[in-house]
């Protein structure tokens, strides 16, 4: 999703279900807002020597390792413990100590543990905590620990755990993933004069449809949530906007296409195509959609389950389609991963355990308990994801469509790691001004790029200093 991206991973971020697992997603992302400042407090943790050299396997899978997850107890205790028990049975010389921690303050806890030299051997990472630890050389290169690992995972997921400036190294095993999809109220869609069997496939067409919906609704409902923080940089990528230069040293999104995006959003905002309050705060998308106040609904397959449970009348009106891809032609994904501590005393056990948790059968079993998808290619090929049922049930269709999309997920559809929380917040502030008409769209985009580049330059300077320490 964008690392966490897209018209709705970007609204995968917003469309979190209120199950324990998706609550963990939201909590982790909330904690990530502190990562930029917290990261400054970790500079040089474990010394420069930790950034050099990688753990070497001995050929013997044994020893006691620690495994940390993010808010999976008690809902998934039976599942996770079963995975651990099966691993210990396969490798009798191993012992896995499982610890599960709350989502609140997760990144701060990682920082504190890193400072104390107490990171777990295998740790559940969201995209921000991955960057936090990876940039500081605290994670093992699993591509070296497991040279054949790449072929077992969806390319878009495996590639996502590379780090800028570190070549072909991969610093975490992909775990469960969430693709974006498109959902819409087919009754309101048709009432707006649109063909329910022809959903939008580009951002520009999405805006065209939203304009027709706004004209037809008479203020009774809106087309979509404004949510610039969730929509960017995904929308721009889909419109062909170059977000970064080739060297990834400067943001380059100040282009006519980005200006066009602001112009279209400004017009739609004035027309009432989106709830006014959704420009500055995140309302409950599933609730508004369930109440018939939105045409375009949750972009995450997991939230459809919420709609079915809480708004049966909206559920039966829901149509599911592939996500808007635009010029990219493929989607981004939001992933969780398992990192291996670089200085683990038992690299064989840690690597094999991370690989065990993320193998096909274990990921499929997890997917049957909650609406997530395997990053493992064999898991994604399981018949469970091929089943479309009678072709009418939204949740079943969403599962199938999401799985098919994951086969074409690509790294360049995800939010670049350089687009940090600080960068996103700076860009959003200018976009809000442009959409509300407080400054010209051209000025909004230019000011956003200037602010983003100042932040990026500062971050890169800090990283250079840390490497020299």
């Amino acid at each position: 999703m964008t690392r966490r991206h897209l018209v709705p991973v970007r609204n995968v971020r917003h469309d979190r279900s209120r199950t324990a697992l998706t609550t963990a997603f939201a909590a982790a992302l909330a904690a990530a807002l502190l990562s930029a400042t917290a990261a400054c407090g970790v500079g040089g943790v474990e010394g420069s020597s930790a950034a050099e050299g990688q753990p070497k396997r001995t050929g013997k899978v044994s020893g006691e390792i620690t495994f940390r997850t993010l808010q999976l107890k008690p809902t998934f205790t039976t599942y996770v413990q079963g995975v651990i028990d099966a691993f210990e049975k396969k490798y009798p010389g191993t012992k896995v100590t499982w610890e599960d921690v709350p989502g609140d303050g997760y990144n701060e806890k990682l920082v504190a543990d890193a400072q104390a030299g107490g990171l777990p051997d295998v740790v559940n990472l969201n995209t921000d905590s991955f960057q936090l630890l990876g940039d500081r050389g605290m994670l093992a290169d699993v591509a070296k620990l497991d040279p054949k690992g790449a072929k077992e995972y969806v390319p878009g997921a495996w590639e996502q755990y590379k780090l800028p400036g570190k070549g072909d190294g991969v610093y975490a095993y992909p775990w469960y993933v969430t693709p974006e999809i498109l959902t819409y109220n087919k009754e309101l869609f048709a009432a707006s004069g649109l063909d329910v069997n022809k959903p939008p496939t580009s951002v520009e067409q999405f805006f065209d449809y939203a304009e027709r919906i706004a004209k037809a609704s008479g203020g009774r409902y809106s087309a979509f949530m404004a949510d610039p923080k969730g929509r960017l940089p995904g929308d721009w990528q889909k419109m062909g906007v170059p977000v970064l230069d080739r060297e990834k040293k400067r943001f380059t999104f100040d282009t006519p296409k980005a200006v066009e995006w602001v112009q279209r959003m400004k017009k739609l905002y004035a027309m009432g195509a989106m709830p006014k309050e959704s420009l500055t705060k995140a309302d409950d998308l599933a609730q508004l959609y369930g109440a018939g106040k939105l045409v375009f609904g949750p972009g995450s397959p997991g939230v459809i389950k919420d709609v079915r449970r809480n708004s049966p009348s909206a559920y039966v009106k829901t149509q599911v389609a592939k996500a808007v891809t635009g010029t990219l032609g493929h989607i981004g994904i939001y992933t969780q991963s398992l990192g291996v501590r670089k200085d683990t005393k038992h690299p064989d056990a840690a690597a094999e355990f991370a690989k065990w948790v993320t193998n096909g059968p274990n990921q499929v079993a997890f997917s049957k308990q909650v609406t997530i998808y395997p990053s493992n290619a064999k898991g994604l090929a399981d018949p469970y994801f091929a089943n479309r049922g009678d072709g009418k049930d939204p949740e079943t269709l969403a599962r199938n469509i999401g799985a098919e999309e994951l086969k074409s997920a690509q790294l360049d559809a995800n939010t670049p790691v350089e687009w940090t929380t600080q960068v996103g917040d700076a860009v959003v502030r200018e976009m809000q001004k442009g959409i509300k008409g407080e400054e010209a769209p051209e000025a909004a985009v230019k000011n956003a790029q200037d602010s983003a580049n100042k932040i990026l330059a500062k971050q890169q300077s800090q990283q250079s200093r840390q490497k020299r320490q």
Side-chain angles (χ1 to χ4, degrees):
M1 138 316 190
T2 136
R3 274 182 302 154
R4 41 182 191 281
H5 139 299
L6 282 346
V7 212
V9 162
R10 277 188 139 49
N11 297 320
V12 160
R13 277 194 326 193
H14 271 343
D15 306 342
R16 296 277 178 253
S17 145
R18 286 187 294 272
T19 63
L21 184 62
T22 49
T23 298
F25 281 168
L29 288 171
L33 294 175
L34 298 174
S35 66
T37 53
C40 297
V42 208
V45 170
E46 299 184 5
S48 59
S49 62
E52 303 173 12
Q54 287 287 332
K56 295 182 179 180
R57 298 185 67 149
T58 65
K60 184 178 181 181
V61 181
S62 63
E64 183 171 348
I65 60 173
T66 52
F67 173 45
R68 178 181 296 172
T69 56
L70 175 59
Q71 204 168 310
L72 296 186
K73 291 183 178 180
T75 307
F76 303 103
T77 297
T78 300
Y79 165 76
V80 176
Q81 191 59 56
V83 171
I84 292 172
D85 292 344
F87 178 78
E88 292 177 340
K89 183 177 180 180
K90 181 176 182 180
Y91 299 103
T94 61
K95 169 68 176 175
V96 179
T97 300
W98 175 30
E99 59 180 59
D100 188 71
V101 300
D104 291 339
Y106 188 65
N107 280 15
E108 298 98 305
K109 180 170 176 57
L110 284 176
V111 169
D113 288 343
Q115 289 174 325
L119 280 178
D121 297 282
V122 179
V123 57
N124 182 185
L125 301 172
N126 59 47
T127 51
D128 294 272
S129 53
F130 163 75
Q131 184 181 346
L132 175 64
L133 299 184
D135 283 350
R136 285 154 184 80
M138 299 175 190
L139 300 174
D141 180 352
V142 300
K144 288 185 177 179
L145 278 176
D146 187 4
K148 296 181 180 180
K151 65 181 181 181
E152 299 190 24
Y153 298 88
V154 176
W158 180 258
E159 294 286 321
Q160 183 156 328
Y161 292 101
K162 292 186 175 183
L163 287 166
K166 295 196 175 183
D168 291 328
V170 175
Y171 294 87
Y173 283 94
W175 195 5
Y176 49 89
V177 301
T178 306
E180 57 167 335
I181 58 172
L182 187 69
T183 63
Y184 51 99
N185 183 312
K186 56 188 176 184
E187 186 176 283
L188 298 179
F189 203 77
S192 302
L194 299 169
D195 186 339
V196 297
N197 295 312
K198 293 182 179 179
T201 58
S202 69
V203 175
E204 294 88 345
Q205 189 179 42
F206 181 88
F207 287 158
D208 290 342
Y209 283 22
E211 186 169 335
R212 293 182 63 176
I213 290 167
K215 290 177 180 177
S217 73
R220 291 175 289 118
Y221 49 86
S222 301
F224 67 104
M225 301 287 275
D227 183 29
K229 187 168 187 175
R231 301 190 71 85
L232 297 177
D235 275 9
W236 285 348
Q237 290 169 305
K238 294 175 179 182
M239 294 173 74
V241 173
V243 176
L244 281 165
D245 64 13
R246 185 167 296 182
E247 292 74 28
K248 297 186 177 182
K249 292 184 177 180
R250 288 188 59 80
F251 288 104
T252 56
F253 54 77
D254 184 4
T255 62
K257 270 294 181 181
V259 172
E260 177 188 333
W261 184 90
V262 183
Q263 291 170 334
R264 296 295 304 269
M265 288 285 286
K266 178 182 178 181
K267 180 179 180 180
L268 291 167
Y269 182 76
M271 293 178 66
M274 57 195 86
K276 290 291 193 289
E277 61 276 10
S278 69
L279 182 62
T280 55
K281 67 177 183 178
D283 286 328
D284 191 328
L285 187 155
Q287 184 178 5
L288 288 174
Y289 179 78
K293 298 296 184 182
L294 283 177
V295 173
F296 291 103
S300 170
V303 189
I304 294 179
K305 186 175 294 185
D306 273 359
V307 175
R308 184 184 66 181
R309 180 174 58 248
N310 299 322
S311 308
S313 61
Y315 182 78
V316 298
K317 299 173 185 175
T318 296
Q319 186 98 336
V320 183
K322 291 184 177 181
V324 170
T325 58
T327 59
L328 283 176
H330 48 243
I331 66 162
I333 53 178
Y334 177 88
T335 72
Q336 292 270 327
S337 66
L338 295 182
V340 174
R341 174 176 170 162
K342 185 183 231 178
D343 60 353
T344 177
K345 294 179 181 178
H346 304 288
D348 297 77
E352 287 303 318
F353 179 70
K355 189 174 180 178
W356 176 262
V357 174
T358 60
N359 71 24
N362 284 329
Q363 288 208 42
V364 171
F366 202 6
S367 300
K368 290 180 179 179
Q369 295 193 32
V370 65
T371 309
I372 54 173
Y373 295 78
S375 60
N376 185 282
K378 289 183 178 178
L380 200 59
D382 190 272
Y384 175 70
F385 298 100
N387 178 27
R388 294 177 64 91
D390 61 3
K392 298 179 181 178
D393 178 61
E395 188 176 356
T396 303
L397 278 175
R399 181 171 64 238
N400 172 258
I401 289 172
E404 287 298 314
E405 288 182 324
L406 283 170
K407 295 175 183 177
S408 65
Q410 296 290 334
L411 180 64
D412 62 359
N414 293 319
T415 299
V417 295
E418 292 80 6
W419 189 283
T420 61
T421 297
Q422 285 179 296
V423 168
D425 288 346
V427 171
V428 166
R429 282 194 292 271
E430 297 300 330
M431 295 304 101
Q432 289 169 338
K433 293 176 186 177
I435 293 169
K436 288 192 289 186
E438 295 176 358
E439 64 183 17
E442 293 83 357
V445 174
K446 181 182 184 303
N447 292 339
Q449 180 172 289
D450 290 345
S451 296
N453 278 325
K454 288 179 182 177
I455 294 169
L456 180 59
K458 184 177 180 180
Q459 291 170 341
Q460 291 174 337
S461 176
Q462 289 173 340
Q463 291 171 359
S464 296
R465 286 198 301 270
Q466 289 165 358
K467 289 178 181 178
R468 291 195 297 269
Q469 291 176 354

